Amino acid sequence: MLNNNEYLNRLYQSDKPLIIYKTDKGFDVYTDFSKKFLINKKNIKTFLNSQTKKKHSNSKSLNCYVGFFGYKLLCENIGIKLPKQKTNNFYTGLFYQPLTKISIRKKISIQSIRPNFRNIKINKKNYELLDKKFNLNLTLQQYSKLFKNFSKNIKQGKTYQIKIAQNYSKKGTINPIDLFWKLMRMNESPESFLIRDKNFNIISCSPETLILKKNNLIKTKPIAGTLRKTKNTNQKKALTFFRKNEKETKEHNMIVDMERNDLAKICKTGSVKIEKLKKVEEYRDLFHYVTTIKGILKNKITNHEIISSLMPGGSVIGCPKISTIQLLNKKEKYDRNIYTGSFGIIHANGDMRFNIMIRTLLNFKNKIDLSVASGVILGSTAKKEYNENYIKAKSLLELFN
């Protein structure tokens, strides 16, 4: 019989669908999915409030659903209709019910309710990159035109801040396991994950936690503020930069206020507090400005009410959220797809954790897609924000070097 290390290596070399999710102590791998739920605007409420509460195991850690909601679905869920956009018709949302969980810590431990789960066949698959370079959907000139239009909207009071998305794409297929662990060596992030399925792969080094719920305590960690990393910058210098930079401070304050309001809709009066204000997080190519907000949920708040209040995450949309989404949807010609949606896990006891799908790469229909966005407020410039988008995409783009 295979030992745990041998089993995990064979699992990686197979073509079995699996999910890898970063935790604060290591990584969790989920596989042997007994059910797979395609989520749409008609069934999202039932799925969240009913299906996720059903138990199928005596193991607490296996009574869960792992997966994602796409951006379009999250908009439709709060009553926002999207205009016709160019799309690849990817899943609007997808969740998996695992029978096996592998915990990667100092040692590898396995929980499984699937008989003979160690019996796995190795599958040798060819991966081919058909394009050497990524294509960008917006030139600086095109971006500047959008930037100018949205700056006008800000002056007219239609929005205070708005995030313009750009897309990098190329033809080809990836080896998801190799690429994911390469990314973790380069730029391991708190909300990193991988989904490998029969007809698509998603790889992410997302830094942003949108929802962390345990019992009746809920937290969110909005990111608003980016500084390019150089040889001469460190966390202390980055903090000084953010504090002294009027544009970054305005952007951060607006997003934090918006997320506090989103939490206030579902939390007990007076319970929403700032846990950590304006801290700097360091990554491979940049520094981020981050605040942690917490609250105590009202009694009888449902999973659907939590998701509807906080998704899509405001830090990657703009402020105020609803009117800004409507402005974005009118001007963006390409469907955001999974970008600015959310990936995570929901347990049968109601605990949940979700990220925002940024720094996330999708491989579907022989195409590799990656989207990024930066914020437009009064005082920002088109060229600076355009260049900031590249910094955010850099660690994923360099996987292919």
Side-chain angles (χ1 to χ4, degrees):
M1 186 174 74
L2 298 173
N3 65 35
N4 288 355
N5 284 334
E6 289 169 338
Y7 161 74
L8 184 58
N9 284 330
R10 185 162 284 202
L11 175 63
Y12 288 160
Q13 293 174 62
S14 74
D15 62 355
K16 285 183 71 170
L18 62 81
I19 292 171
I20 305 176
Y21 198 4
K22 176 80 177 73
T23 73
D24 56 351
K25 295 177 182 177
F27 293 87
D28 289 334
V29 183
Y30 299 91
T31 189
D32 295 323
F33 303 118
S34 60
K35 291 180 181 176
K36 188 170 157 181
F37 292 87
L38 176 60
I39 313 299
N40 55 47
K41 62 182 178 182
K42 292 180 181 178
N43 67 8
I44 184 172
K45 189 173 182 179
T46 303
F47 172 75
L48 286 168
N49 290 346
S50 177
Q51 186 63 45
T52 57
K53 293 180 180 180
K54 293 178 181 178
K55 296 181 180 180
H56 66 281
S57 167
N58 292 325
S59 170
K60 181 184 174 184
S61 62
L62 286 172
N63 283 317
C64 64
Y65 291 86
V66 193
F68 67 89
F69 302 110
Y71 171 75
K72 181 181 179 181
L73 173 60
L74 293 176
C75 287
E76 291 174 338
N77 180 56
I78 56 174
I80 297 174
K81 271 191 170 184
L82 275 78
K84 272 197 170 184
Q85 295 170 311
K86 292 180 182 178
T87 179
N88 64 359
N89 295 309
F90 188 61
Y91 302 101
T92 54
L94 204 55
F95 276 80
Y96 303 78
Q97 186 181 63
L99 299 181
T100 300
K101 177 187 175 185
I102 304 122
S103 300
I104 304 174
R105 307 294 187 265
K106 287 183 180 178
K107 292 184 178 179
I108 295 170
S109 61
I110 301 174
Q111 290 176 291
S112 183
I113 55 173
R114 180 180 179 271
N116 303 314
F117 71 90
R118 292 180 193 268
N119 293 343
I120 303 176
K121 290 181 180 179
I122 290 175
N123 176 62
K124 291 184 179 179
K125 187 176 178 181
N126 293 321
Y127 302 97
E128 188 179 7
L129 294 176
L130 303 179
D131 290 343
K132 288 186 177 181
K133 290 185 178 180
F134 278 89
N135 299 307
L136 191 55
N137 71 324
L138 291 175
T139 63
L140 177 57
Q141 188 178 4
Q142 290 168 320
Y143 181 91
S144 298
K145 189 177 178 181
L146 276 174
F147 185 95
K148 190 176 179 181
N149 184 277
F150 286 137
S151 296
K152 189 178 178 182
N153 291 151
I154 292 170
K155 288 174 183 175
Q156 291 170 341
K158 293 179 181 178
T159 182
Y160 304 114
Q161 180 195 41
I162 195 162
K163 301 286 182 90
I164 304 173
Q166 289 176 268
N167 176 264
Y168 292 84
S169 65
K170 67 191 294 184
K171 289 181 180 179
T173 56
I174 63 170
N175 183 327
I177 298 294
D178 287 357
L179 226 57
F180 178 75
W181 289 118
K182 183 180 178 182
L183 179 61
M184 292 304 95
R185 290 189 295 271
M186 289 169 55
N187 192 34
E188 186 177 305
S189 301
E191 289 292 341
S192 301
F193 74 92
L194 157 72
I195 301 178
R196 179 180 77 184
D197 208 333
K198 297 290 185 184
N199 64 335
F200 75 91
N201 301 290
I202 301 175
I203 292 173
S204 175
C205 58
S206 172
E208 187 159 357
T209 304
L210 179 61
I211 297 174
L212 185 60
K213 176 189 177 288
K214 192 167 185 180
N215 300 318
N216 66 344
L217 176 66
I218 188 166
K219 296 182 183 183
T220 187
K221 285 181 64 178
I223 292 174
T226 301
L227 175 64
R228 185 172 193 162
K229 201 171 180 181
T230 69
K231 290 179 182 179
N232 299 318
T233 52
N234 55 34
Q235 281 189 298
K236 190 176 179 181
K237 287 181 179 178
L239 183 59
T240 301
F241 165 81
F242 286 128
R243 284 176 174 171
K244 289 184 175 181
N245 188 290
E246 188 180 358
K247 183 259 181 187
E248 299 289 353
T249 300
K250 278 182 184 177
E251 182 179 347
H252 194 89
N253 290 345
M254 282 191 281
I255 294 300
V256 168
D257 284 345
M258 182 172 61
E259 297 296 349
R260 287 171 69 182
N261 289 337
D262 285 349
L263 272 184
K265 296 172 191 173
I266 52 174
C267 288
K268 291 181 179 178
T269 303
S271 74
V272 177
K273 310 281 186 186
I274 300 291
E275 184 175 79
K276 294 178 183 176
L277 179 64
K278 295 179 179 176
K279 301 295 181 182
V280 171
E281 290 184 357
E282 182 177 357
Y283 296 93
R284 178 175 175 264
D285 300 308
L286 48 80
F287 295 94
H288 275 316
Y289 210 21
V290 186
T291 288
T292 304
I293 312 163
K294 65 179 180 179
I296 305 297
L297 289 165
K298 295 175 185 175
N299 297 332
K300 297 181 180 179
I301 283 289
T302 66
N303 287 345
H304 184 252
E305 287 172 321
I306 293 169
I307 297 301
S308 301
S309 180
L310 288 163
M311 293 185 189
S315 65
V316 284
I317 301 296
C319 180
K321 189 192 288 187
I322 303 300
S323 60
T324 304
I325 288 173
Q326 289 167 336
L327 287 171
L328 276 172
N329 292 343
K330 284 178 185 175
K331 292 293 181 182
E332 289 185 343
K333 294 178 181 178
Y334 294 85
D335 176 11
R336 285 195 171 198
N337 207 323
I338 60 169
Y339 178 64
T340 61
S342 286
F343 166 90
I345 185 167
I346 308 176
H347 296 275
N349 67 359
D351 290 351
M352 66 177 80
R353 173 186 165 205
F354 279 94
N355 68 14
I356 300 182
M357 285 196 282
I358 53 177
R359 323 285 199 277
T360 299
L361 184 150
L362 171 65
N363 189 195
F364 179 60
K365 291 183 178 177
N366 206 36
K367 192 180 177 189
I368 301 162
D369 282 292
L370 163 66
S371 292
V372 286
S374 55
V376 181
I377 65 167
L378 287 178
S380 54
T381 63
K383 190 173 182 180
K384 181 183 177 297
E385 300 307 324
Y386 188 83
N387 291 336
E388 184 179 300
N389 280 343
Y390 171 73
I391 301 167
K392 291 174 178 176
K394 191 168 180 277
S395 62
L396 283 159
L397 295 175
E398 288 183 353
L399 286 175
F400 300 89
N401 289 351

